[in-house]
Amino acid sequence: MNASAIIMMLVAIVTVWGGMVVSIVHLMRHPEEKDDE
């Protein structure tokens, strides 16, 4: 793989894992409220 492919792969990995970490932190700070129907 050339350098640009490695950079693009790293950007994609950071985007996916970073989004997952941000969503987990957000859910830990603001847990979902259960609906009692």
Side-chain angles (χ1 to χ4, degrees), residues 2 4 26-27 29:
N2 55 11
S4 63
H26 182 267
L27 278 174
R29 290 184 179 173

Side-chain angles (χ1 to χ4, degrees), residues 14-26:
V14 167
T15 301
V16 171
W17 286 98
M20 188 181 75
V21 168
V22 168
S23 65
I24 289 173
V25 169
H26 182 267

